[in-house]
Amino acid sequence: MAAQEDAFAEARRRMVEEQIAARGVRDARVLEAMRSVPRHLFVPPKYAEWAYGDGPLPIGNGQTISQPYIVALMTELLEIPPQGARVLEIGTGSGYQTAILAHLAAEVFTIERHASLAAEAKARLRRLGLENVHFRVGDGTLGWPEHAPYDGILVTAAAPEVPPALPEQVRLGGHIVIPLGGRGGQTLERWTRREDDFERESIIPVAFVPLVGKQGWPET
Ligand code: SAH
């Protein structure tokens, strides 16, 4: 068992070096979080041996755990302040991205529409001793206004547009990181709140599962 844990830790070091740092993610705190969170515990056991591969994997309910590089990139783009940060995540899924955020922010608020995924994610994070995460089951397209404003909002499912409820829930200078586009493919975008409006940056092409909700895609 200990030998296997060592093998997973070694696989994680290589994942960070070959898939993440090699592609230009530089933030030392992000790289450290990616080296420490055991991704093999966030995938169904039959996929554990592929947990440190360079792609997404199925997690049930037709959903996927994102590719490690994309998780690292989205986290870096959020520019989470080192002290006292509060982050909102929409699309808990396996909870892997949530765990990375929990290493960098003081408090993480995360919303998932599938109750079974949310329950499994919550159990995993508790087992890992990450206690600064608040879970909610429901439609994340409406945000979580009770705890706003957030230093950053990370959306891990694809939306046609930024859900209108979100911009007002991010603080001045804070970022929304979100894949925007059609159901088949999207562009990862970063929106930064300025005094009068949002600065908008296009980052890279991505493919996410749809954000389904009142201010997202309709259920099909
Ligand atoms: N960050 C996750 C990615 C999961 S995939 C991980 O690495 O595991 C995206 C998730 O968004 C899915 O679990 C899906 O059920 C969820 N989702 C889709 N629409 C949603 C909505 N309106 N509110 C909350 N969660 C949503």
Side-chain angles (χ1 to χ4, degrees):
M1 199 65 195
Q4 197 182 25
E5 287 308 310
D6 284 352
F8 282 130
E10 176 54 25
R12 268 199 304 282
R13 269 194 295 280
R14 290 186 48 190
M15 171 190 84
V16 169
E17 203 173 303
E18 295 168 9
Q19 304 169 26
I20 298 173
R23 291 192 180 114
V25 173
R26 291 280 175 266
D27 187 321
R29 297 171 66 228
V30 173
L31 298 177
E32 185 48 40
M34 298 293 299
R35 267 192 292 268
S36 66
V37 176
R39 191 170 188 263
H40 62 281
L41 301 181
F42 289 80
V43 301
K46 64 180 172 191
Y47 297 129
E49 61 178 299
W50 289 287
Y52 299 102
D54 193 16
L57 289 168
I59 54 170
N61 287 84
Q63 307 304 322
T64 55
I65 179 171
S66 305
Q67 180 189 7
Y69 166 62
I70 295 295
V71 171
L73 176 63
M74 291 176 87
T75 308
E76 182 175 63
L77 287 167
L78 265 189
E79 296 183 320
I80 299 170
Q83 299 296 329
R86 292 140 51 81
V87 171
L88 174 65
E89 178 192 37
I90 299 169
T92 315
S94 67
Y96 176 67
Q97 171 79 73
T98 322
I100 299 291
L101 295 173
H103 277 263
L104 299 173
E107 278 191 292
V108 180
F109 297 83
T110 186
I111 311 176
E112 169 58 52
R113 62 188 288 269
H114 289 292
S116 58
L117 292 178
E120 290 171 30
K122 189 171 183 175
R124 286 185 185 110
L125 268 66
R126 294 286 180 266
R127 234 176 285 135
L128 293 174
L130 296 169
E131 302 195 337
N132 55 336
V133 181
H134 309 271
F135 293 85
R136 181 169 177 170
V137 174
D139 181 4
T141 65
L142 306 175
W144 195 335
E146 292 82 351
H147 302 285
Y150 300 97
D151 293 287
I153 300 179
L154 186 55
V155 184
T156 72
E161 293 294 341
V162 172
L166 300 186
E168 63 199 33
Q169 296 184 28
V170 69
R171 71 157 166 83
L172 207 59
H175 304 293
I176 301 175
V177 174
I178 182 170
L180 291 182
R183 281 176 180 265
Q186 309 89 32
T187 303
L188 184 63
E189 296 199 11
R190 175 166 70 175
W191 291 39
T192 304
R193 186 167 189 176
R194 302 295 182 208
E195 288 287 349
D196 300 319
D197 57 3
F198 277 77
E199 177 189 330
R200 183 172 175 174
E201 299 164 88
S202 294
I203 313 293
I204 53 163
V206 287
F208 276 82
V209 298
L211 183 74
V212 176
K214 279 208 182 72
Q215 297 182 2
W217 294 103
E219 205 149 354
T220 49

